[in-house]
Structure formats: structure tokens, C-alpha cells
Amino acid sequence: MTALVRPAGLDLRTALLLTVPPALWAGNAVVGRLLRDVASPMTLNFVRWLFALLLLAPLAFAVLRKGSPLWPHWRRYAWLGLLGIGCYNALQYLALQTSTPMNVTLVGASMPLWMMATGALFFGQRITRRALAGALLSMAGVAVVLSRGRWQVLAELHLLPGDLYMMLATIAWAFYSWLLTRTHEPASVRRDWAAFLMAQLVFGTAWSALFSAGEWLLTPARFVWSWPLAAAMVFIVLGPALLAFRCWGEGVQRAGPNTAAFFVNLTPLFAALLSALFLGESPQPYHAVAFALIVGGIVVSSRR
């Protein structure tokens, strides 16, 4: 029978676990922007997870053997692999083809609203007034980004394709995070972070391969190997892939999806710093307004 894991609360360890992924995801956004001319988004996502799968195999290959507790629950892991591995990062890389890392990560700051809506509509969770107020503040920050600081743009509904792709990625991640809290698999898989991630990776990599194949068939796809690309792959495999997913998975189970969602709002801060350092993309005044609204959402929603 499926059970919903009860969050243990937010302590220092949990806060650190949930802070590591935003920092790494900001770096992932910057690297994805740098690679947009040499690596197609779906193929970049597939190669990234293929290498992650190979690196993780020595630690958790046993979970793939016949008779493993994984296989009776393969549908659950197929969904986790589709949403968290096959869709989220591929859509983010696709968004970075037309949007900057700061815009992409600020649009991703709508996560609290999507997390609460997903929990209420599909997982029977109650939405508090304070949490809703915080989420609406965060969404106001996203609106500032989408309008580029000019509210009349919203009336014209003129959005960059990257903004829409990132919104879809954020919704996929909300469903992924809630599914992490529902458990009916054996504790032997859940307790072993490598086995738990491997169970998702084996399906997620297959989804990514399917999307990459479609990209090569339907678009002028590209993946030009070079030493800079190899160095970038080392970072996105070890950091945003393995380490971030490991920390996020444990952090969500400890604090719950709603609390964890607000940590995603730290990503724009890290992205702004890294973009200024590596891309020369200085923050604009509207980015400051958006970030202030997002931080306000965190403060309002976290008060008791």
C-alpha cells in the first residue's frame, strides 16, 4: 500500500542538503548556456545521464539484477525517471537556447506555487494562507522576469520560448518531488541513496535516449566533442546530476516538498553571481525587483 512519508522538519543538516542543489543547478544553467552552440539540449541531457549511470553502476549495480526489489515497483521508478531525469533537465537545456541563466532560474522560482498546487490537487495536501501568500509573492517575481520589468508586456503575452520551456520543467519537477514522498518500495532501496538513484537512472536514461533520438531525427542536432565540452560534462555529471539529486532526494524526504520548494528560490542568486563571473551578463534592475519579491515569498511562507 502506498504511504506518504511524514516530513521530519527543517534542521541544519536538512537546510544544507537543500542548499547544495540550488548552487549546483545555477552552475548547470550557466554551463548549459555556454554549451548551447556545441551541444543540442536533448543530446546533452542524454550524454550527461549516461555517464552518471556508468559512474553509479559500481555502487548500485545489484539493484538492477533479476529478483531485485526494484522490479515489482518499476512503474514508479519509470515515472520518477521520466519527470526528474528525462524531462526536467532536457527542458531546462532547451530553455537555455533562448533564455539567459538568470531568467531561467527566476522562472524556476515559481516552484512553490506549482508544488502547492500539485500537492493539493493530486496528493491531498492542505494549502495554508501564509504559504499561498508566499507563493504568490514568488510568482510576482516571476512575472517581473517574464515582462522584463515592463508590465504592459504581460498584456501582450509575449514570452520567450525558453520561459515557457522552463515553466514546463518546473511543473515536471513539482510532480517528481511529490512522488519522492510516496513510498511503497522496500526500505533496502530507499535507505541506499545509490540504489535509489540508480533505480531512477536506469529508466531516466532510457527516456533521455528516446528524446535524443527524436532530436537527431527531427532537428539539425549537434554534439561537437572538445576539451572544454569534456570538462563541462565532468562538472554537470558529478555536480548537478549525482550530487544534487542525492541531496535533493534526502532533503525532500526530511523536510517535505513544500518546504524544499522554497530553497529552489536560492538558485537565481547563485545564477546571477555565476553569470556575471563567467558570461558577462550583468543583472538588470528588474532582476533585483524580482529577487526581492522571491525572498519576500520565502520569509512570508516560512514564518510560523
Side-chain angles (χ1 to χ4, degrees):
M1 180 177 180
T2 302
L4 190 66
V5 176
R6 184 182 298 276
L10 189 64
D11 54 21
L12 179 59
R13 173 181 169 80
T14 305
L16 289 175
L17 284 170
L18 292 172
T19 301
V20 170
L24 293 171
W25 290 333
N28 186 50
V30 172
V31 170
R33 181 71 169 179
L34 287 169
L35 298 179
R36 62 176 176 161
D37 293 329
V38 297
S40 298
M42 302 297 170
T43 302
L44 177 61
N45 190 53
F46 166 61
V47 175
R48 160 192 176 165
W49 289 114
L50 178 61
F51 279 119
L53 180 68
L54 294 175
L55 286 175
L56 199 61
L59 297 177
F61 182 77
V63 79
L64 303 181
R65 292 175 178 169
K66 185 178 179 180
S68 164
L70 158 68
W71 300 116
H73 309 285
W74 69 269
R75 289 182 179 84
R76 162 175 162 76
Y77 289 105
W79 277 108
L80 288 172
L82 173 63
L83 295 169
I85 294 171
C87 289
Y88 177 77
N89 290 278
L91 287 168
Q92 185 185 56
Y93 289 141
L94 189 59
L96 288 164
Q97 298 288 304
T98 54
S99 292
T100 66
M102 279 186 288
N103 277 10
V104 164
T105 53
L106 281 167
V107 170
S110 62
M111 178 70 72
L113 185 62
W114 296 115
M115 198 75 80
M116 284 189 293
T118 301
L121 292 173
F122 299 97
F123 295 90
Q125 297 299 295
R126 186 174 65 89
I127 299 177
T128 66
R129 292 181 180 179
R130 193 175 296 278
L132 180 60
L136 291 176
L137 278 175
S138 290
M139 281 299 296
V142 173
V144 171
V145 176
L146 296 179
S147 68
R148 306 309 188 258
R150 294 180 293 117
W151 294 107
Q152 61 269 28
V153 173
L154 289 180
E156 301 169 1
L157 294 177
H158 179 65
L159 303 177
L160 289 176
D163 300 330
L164 298 175
Y165 289 135
M166 192 60 204
M167 194 70 73
L168 290 174
T170 303
I171 295 171
W173 191 257
F175 275 97
Y176 169 80
S177 296
W178 274 108
L179 285 176
L180 285 177
T181 68
R182 299 184 71 89
T183 177
H184 53 272
E185 72 267 21
S188 59
V189 176
R190 171 73 66 164
R191 284 198 305 262
D192 185 343
W193 73 269
F196 188 56
L197 182 54
M198 179 62 117
Q200 302 171 57
L201 267 179
V202 67
F203 294 104
T205 305
W207 287 115
S208 300
L210 181 63
F211 297 152
S212 178
E215 183 176 61
W216 283 88
L217 287 173
L218 301 174
T219 69
R222 62 204 175 278
F223 197 82
V224 184
W225 274 108
S226 64
W227 284 113
L229 177 57
M233 292 302 303
V234 170
F235 167 72
I236 64 177
V237 169
L238 295 179
L242 293 177
L243 182 58
F245 267 69
R246 187 261 187 274
C247 292
W248 183 261
E250 183 176 348
V252 167
Q253 292 181 53
R254 291 170 65 94
N258 284 335
T259 299
F262 284 95
F263 280 82
V264 176
N265 295 327
L266 295 173
T267 310
L269 174 61
F270 293 122
L273 295 174
L274 292 173
S275 293
L277 184 61
F278 293 104
L279 300 178
E281 296 176 349
S282 300
Q284 299 300 313
Y286 70 83
H287 283 120
V289 174
F291 187 71
L293 288 168
I294 291 168
V295 171
I298 296 174
V299 172
V300 169
S301 63
S302 61
R303 292 183 63 186
R304 295 291 182 267

